[in-house]
Amino acid sequence: MRALSRALRIGVISLTALLAACGSSGPFKFDDSYSAQGQNSRVRYLVLHYTAGDHATSLKVLTQRDVSAHYLVSDERRPTVYRLVPEERRAWHAGVGSWYGFTDLNTGSIGIEIVNMGRLPDGRWAPYTRSQIEALKVLIKDLAQRHGVTPRNIIGHSDAAPQRKLDPGPHFPWKELAQAGIGRWYNEAQARALQAQYATRPLPSAAQTQALLRKAGYDTPDSGVFDKATQNVIAAFQMHYRPARYDGLLDAETAAILQSLN
């Protein structure tokens, strides 16, 4: 959390410099003794990514190219949390996407990148380290509390852009974070009961599944068929809530989880 403390110090120094510049000899007098009641944070979402690169490459890409994130969590034994973009500014991390119909995610979110290689050439996925997950718990809790981000709006890049993104991937421990009070999870007892019921009744239709996915926040086609785009959304949902299998095909377990979201 050294990066957070450093950012706060920088903010105080910058404000102090502004106040000094606007003293009696400046073009205006600065007064912050009043505070408007009608305000809230611009941040509605926290979007998590993997970098698909090592530590040095991740830092270089996120600081020297036209892509950025507010925070980068390293993969060191004791992770460094880099604050690369001030929270009040817009980082370029989400791109084209949608969550609950909101499409300007860069403007309304904080982006958190995690140093992780993602999908490896042999098809396996790189694991996250225990120290990264513990650092993320502290960081995300702090951000969510300060900005009033609701659990359903703590998401992965693949949730907001299921047609083109896979990060943070199937190894990201969403359930563990939910158990720590971070993010949304489903009612597991209800899901088991519903899954058992599907042994004797049909699964939801394509139209019903698409409606449920939209209700869960996903940008889903309204085609009424299990087309490729819908399968991509189902796969993103599975990667978040049922990462053991994310083939994009609706089955009893996926349908039950989808209907049991808290």
Side-chain angles (χ1 to χ4, degrees), residues 205-219:
S205 67
Q208 290 171 327
T209 301
Q210 289 168 340
L212 286 167
L213 286 166
R214 284 192 294 273
K215 184 179 179 182
Y218 291 84
D219 184 18

Side-chain angles (χ1 to χ4, degrees), residues 49-54 58 62 72-73 113-118 167:
H49 312 255
Y50 57 55
T51 61
D54 60 22
S58 300
L62 290 170
L72 171 67
V73 179
E113 291 273 3
I114 310 158
V115 175
N116 178 279
M117 294 301 295
D167 53 319

Side-chain angles (χ1 to χ4, degrees), residues 143-225:
L143 293 172
Q145 289 172 358
R146 287 194 290 106
H147 292 283
V149 178
T150 60
R152 73 179 190 175
N153 289 337
I154 300 174
I155 59 175
H157 201 184
S158 58
D159 294 314
Q163 306 303 331
R164 61 187 186 88
K165 292 296 181 180
L166 297 172
D167 53 319
H171 283 339
F172 190 78
W174 289 109
K175 180 178 178 178
E176 179 182 340
L177 264 64
Q179 290 172 334
I182 302 167
R184 178 177 65 180
W185 200 245
Y186 62 94
N187 185 319
E188 295 187 354
Q190 181 183 5
R192 286 191 294 270
L194 285 170
Q195 183 177 352
Q197 292 176 22
Y198 282 126
T200 57
R201 68 173 185 175
L203 293 173
S205 67
Q208 290 171 327
T209 301
Q210 289 168 340
L212 286 167
L213 286 166
R214 284 192 294 273
K215 184 179 179 182
Y218 291 84
D219 184 18
T220 311
D222 193 16
S223 61
V225 295

Side-chain angles (χ1 to χ4, degrees), residues 3 26 30 32 50 55 69 77 80 90 101 113 126 128 136 164 169 196-197 232 234 252:
F30 192 94
D32 66 348
Y50 57 55
H55 187 165
R77 187 173 61 85
T80 300
R90 188 174 185 263
E113 291 273 3
Y128 293 92
L136 281 167
R164 61 187 186 88
Q197 292 176 22
N232 288 343
I234 293 173

Side-chain angles (χ1 to χ4, degrees), residues 225-245:
V225 295
F226 288 110
D227 50 26
K228 177 58 177 174
T230 300
Q231 290 177 21
N232 288 343
V233 180
I234 293 173
F237 176 84
Q238 291 169 329
M239 197 173 285
H240 191 131
Y241 295 102
R242 206 274 306 271
R245 190 168 77 254

